Amino acid sequence: MRRKISLLVIVVLAAAAAIIDYGCSRNGNLDDIDRDDSVSFDLNDPKIKERLGEDDGYAFAILYGADIHGSLETCG
Amino acid sequence: MGGLARRVSYIKAFKHRSNIEVPTLLVDAGNLFTDDRYAADQLPAEVMTKNKWVVKGYGDFRHDAANISYVDLPYIAELLKKDGYSKRVEEYPFIERLVSANIQPMDDQHRAPVPYVVREITLKRGAAGEKLRVGIVGFSESKPAAIAGNSKQDVYAGFRINDPYESAKKILPELKKKSDFIIALAYMDVSSAQRLATENPDIDTIIGARQSNTMDEPQHFNRATIVYAYNQTKYLGELRIYVKGDRSIENQLNRYVALDSIIPDDQVATDLVTAAHTEFTNQQSETAQASSATTKPAALLEPAESPYIGEETCAGCHQKEAQIWDKTRHAHAMATLQKKNEQFDNECVRCHVVGYQRGGFQSLYTTPQFANVQCEECHGPGRQHASNPGKGYGFMATPVGCMQCHKEPNDPDFNFAVYWPKIKH
């Protein structure tokens, strides 16, 4: 009986691990995201969608800026 | 517009929109640190603090690389000191992602910056499953001459700025062996970036910067696409790369994303910016208080020393205009900064006072009489006019004069026809 319970626990844990792994691999490319990369606003908000533009199949993206001159925030 | 908190928020949204299957690189083309009031080989303590938080912020939010421009050198000299370097890198790993292929220290007390970094990404689209090595290399032009007509400075803050074209020819063959795609971060004008692309066919993308407030279409020289970053990153540049099945580059499309109030602030980044702001402001306040003990306030200057007289003196003759002004937002411009605890940030202060760095406002401790956007900020210094009143003083070209501060990135809604009636006098 004890062996059966142990086996059941192992099966449940394995299944849980598989589900978690599936969830991650579906998102993929984990090396490119941070643990706190969650978004707290609605990505389907029309204004946000307009800013994001269409996902037209690009393979990778370079986001860039410059000239912040020591300021992590801007005035006003 | 702009700011780290909105930038981070957009980047997260951008990644999630494509189900996090599109690798995204984040880079800065230079001038990320301030060299304000650099003198005698030293940056003031509060300026050091400001820069320190940039290193932390860029590291925490996973910037892949940043280019070292000539502006950055005074603080780079602190970061690349051999003494304590390992400990510094342990605390701020981002230091090792600051790149330059044409800047070298002039002594043996400093390390040379790394010329490039290589990031490996795994493609999920185009050549799905393939890895792509992206090399990111940095170049800077020399420091422009302080006085027009003089030659540029090749030496600044103990570093030599070598010829970027010669440096590129030396370093790019080496980088090409380690990369499939080369990004050159270039702090230089457009014609110099064009030359860099023309002379170096291995470069795939040039991301340039030089306090640009325009958003031109990308240019193409050899195989390189040239784009320019927007000043202060008020618009975030977004370059999309399309890859064919054989891993060759099919196309590069560029767009700029307005980081305005539509993009919510990211809370984690906001917390970091707030901590940075608090430390900087406290330090700035201490410095200003200390300097007030040694600096002679402009109010005590001899007339010949300060060309400004302040609003109260103007009101002595121009009472009606002064009453109108008193009800405008110009009259309370400093209070708006104080509400956000920005009253010590010189970048902000200049548009909330009269005569900043022109013999007028210095600080709230030494020259409080020049706080707020007073008469003389638009009409010009009034001391001479006050001593010899008459016509000929006070002309202001509108709306050009207003747009010294109400420029698009600061005030995207500025409309002279709407704003003028609010201050008309």
Side-chain angles (χ1 to χ4, degrees):
Chain A
M1 184 64 182
R2 189 176 292 171
R3 184 177 286 179
K4 280 183 180 174
I5 291 171
S6 301
L7 195 63
L8 184 66
V9 168
I10 289 168
V11 168
V12 168
L13 286 174
I19 290 167
I20 291 167
D21 183 51
Y22 172 75
C24 292
S25 61
R26 192 175 50 172
N27 285 339
N29 223 27
L30 281 176
D31 59 342
D32 273 325
I33 60 169
D34 289 328
R35 273 167 293 170
D36 61 353
D37 244 357
S38 57
V39 175
S40 58
F41 52 94
D42 182 11
L43 290 178
N44 290 315
D45 180 302
K47 287 180 177 173
I48 297 288
K49 282 181 92 169
E50 184 269 329
R51 282 287 187 282
L52 288 167
E54 289 295 315
D55 181 352
D56 54 3
Y58 49 94
F60 69 99
I62 306 161
L63 300 178
Y64 63 91
D67 288 313
I68 67 160
H69 201 64
S71 293
L72 294 175
E73 55 190 332
T74 50
C75 308
Chain B
M1 284 179 70
L4 183 73
R6 283 179 184 160
R7 202 183 323 157
V8 168
S9 199
Y10 179 80
I11 292 163
K12 287 181 178 179
F14 183 78
K15 288 177 176 177
H16 276 269
R17 191 274 309 278
S18 57
N19 294 324
I20 316 185
E21 70 175 21
V22 176
T24 304
L25 296 166
L26 181 56
V27 299
D28 187 291
N31 186 10
L32 60 161
F33 302 125
T34 170
D35 62 348
D36 281 356
R37 290 175 289 126
Y38 174 65
D41 293 336
Q42 277 199 321
L43 286 167
E46 68 273 17
V47 174
M48 293 277 281
T49 297
K50 219 174 175 186
N51 289 332
K52 176 194 76 180
W53 279 98
V54 173
V55 179
K56 179 168 171 48
Y58 272 41
D60 283 7
F61 295 103
R62 308 271 309 240
H63 284 61
D64 292 279
N67 183 33
I68 300 172
S69 74
Y70 62 83
V71 187
D72 301 308
L73 290 177
Y75 190 62
I76 287 293
E78 298 295 327
L79 295 180
L80 296 184
K81 272 181 188 162
K82 284 182 179 173
D83 187 26
Y85 181 77
S86 302
K87 200 177 167 195
R88 218 172 294 127
V89 169
E90 201 176 306
E91 192 173 2
Y92 304 113
F94 181 70
I95 291 172
E96 298 206 310
R97 293 188 181 187
L98 290 159
V99 297
S100 177
N102 73 316
I103 286 173
Q104 284 183 319
M106 296 179 69
D107 60 27
D108 59 1
Q109 309 298 310
H110 293 82
R111 295 171 64 101
V114 293
Y116 55 79
V117 293
V118 178
R119 296 277 285 138
E120 189 174 85
I121 57 177
T122 305
L123 300 174
K124 297 284 171 78
R125 296 173 174 182
E130 293 281 331
K131 291 192 183 299
L132 201 73
R133 297 164 304 165
V134 180
I136 308 169
V137 61
F139 301 99
S140 172
E141 65 177 356
S142 299
K143 188 176 188 293
I147 300 166
N150 286 7
S151 57
K152 289 183 172 184
Q153 269 181 257
D154 292 333
V155 171
Y156 184 45
F159 285 82
R160 177 172 294 286
I161 306 165
N162 295 319
D163 182 299
Y165 313 111
E166 284 178 19
S167 301
K169 282 175 186 162
K170 281 181 195 161
I171 205 74
L172 286 171
E174 177 188 320
L175 181 57
K176 182 64 184 168
K177 289 177 190 166
K178 300 176 182 174
S179 319
D180 305 302
F181 187 93
I182 294 179
I183 303 168
L185 305 175
Y187 202 84
M188 55 183 65
D189 62 27
V190 177
S191 61
S192 302
Q194 289 170 348
R195 182 177 163 191
L196 195 65
T198 307
E199 293 182 2
N200 297 281
D202 288 335
I203 299 175
D204 293 280
T205 299
I206 293 180
I207 296 175
R210 207 167 179 261
Q211 296 171 40
S212 171
N213 279 319
T214 58
M215 295 184 292
D216 294 328
E217 287 295 306
Q219 299 180 5
H220 303 279
F221 286 82
N222 273 334
R223 63 196 273 182
T225 295
I226 304 176
V227 293
Y228 263 74
Y230 199 89
N231 194 19
Q232 294 182 286
T233 319
K234 290 187 173 182
Y235 291 79
L236 183 67
E238 181 185 305
L239 193 61
R240 298 174 170 199
I241 318 292
Y242 304 79
V243 178
K244 291 181 190 169
D246 61 0
R247 290 202 317 168
S248 63
I249 303 303
E250 184 176 9
N251 199 5
Q252 300 187 43
L253 292 181
N254 186 59
R255 58 196 288 269
Y256 294 95
V257 181
L259 296 178
D260 57 13
S261 57
I262 287 174
I263 311 290
D265 285 340
D266 177 79
Q267 192 52 53
V268 183
T270 299
D271 291 345
L272 182 138
V273 171
T274 304
H277 188 94
T278 303
E279 188 180 343
F280 166 72
T281 306
N282 290 343
Q283 214 160 29
Q284 183 86 322
S285 174
E286 284 170 21
T287 304
Q289 277 179 309
S291 70
S292 69
T294 54
T295 308
K296 192 161 81 166
L300 301 178
L301 295 175
E302 293 302 317
E305 289 180 81
S306 179
Y308 295 93
I309 51 176
E311 180 271 334
E312 283 186 17
T313 309
C314 303
C317 296
H318 304 280
Q319 289 141 353
K320 186 180 142 213
E321 288 82 1
Q323 281 171 1
I324 294 170
W325 172 82
D326 197 44
K327 291 177 183 144
T328 68
R329 290 176 70 181
H330 279 168
H332 310 284
M334 182 54 74
T336 61
L337 279 188
Q338 287 172 309
K339 275 181 200 162
K340 295 185 74 182
N341 210 13
E342 289 175 337
Q343 69 272 25
F344 297 114
D345 190 334
N346 295 340
E347 292 296 320
C348 305
V349 163
R350 63 181 74 245
C351 281
H352 291 250
V353 299
V354 62
Y356 180 74
Q357 287 188 333
R358 299 190 305 271
F361 187 85
Q362 294 168 350
S363 79
L364 277 174
Y365 293 106
T366 57
T367 55
Q369 74 276 23
F370 293 142
N372 301 315
V373 181
Q374 304 182 15
C375 325
E376 295 166 282
E377 184 59 12
C378 303
H379 295 291
R383 187 168 297 282
Q384 213 170 5
H385 169 69
S387 62
N388 184 20
K391 292 188 176 177
Y393 164 80
F395 172 76
M396 181 191 176
T398 55
V400 179
C402 314
M403 292 173 77
Q404 298 299 312
C405 284
H406 292 280
K407 48 193 168 192
E408 202 265 340
N410 288 343
D411 189 356
D413 299 325
F414 178 68
N415 179 335
F416 182 72
V418 175
Y419 278 39
W420 168 242
K422 295 180 181 180
I423 63 161
K424 190 176 175 184
H425 53 274

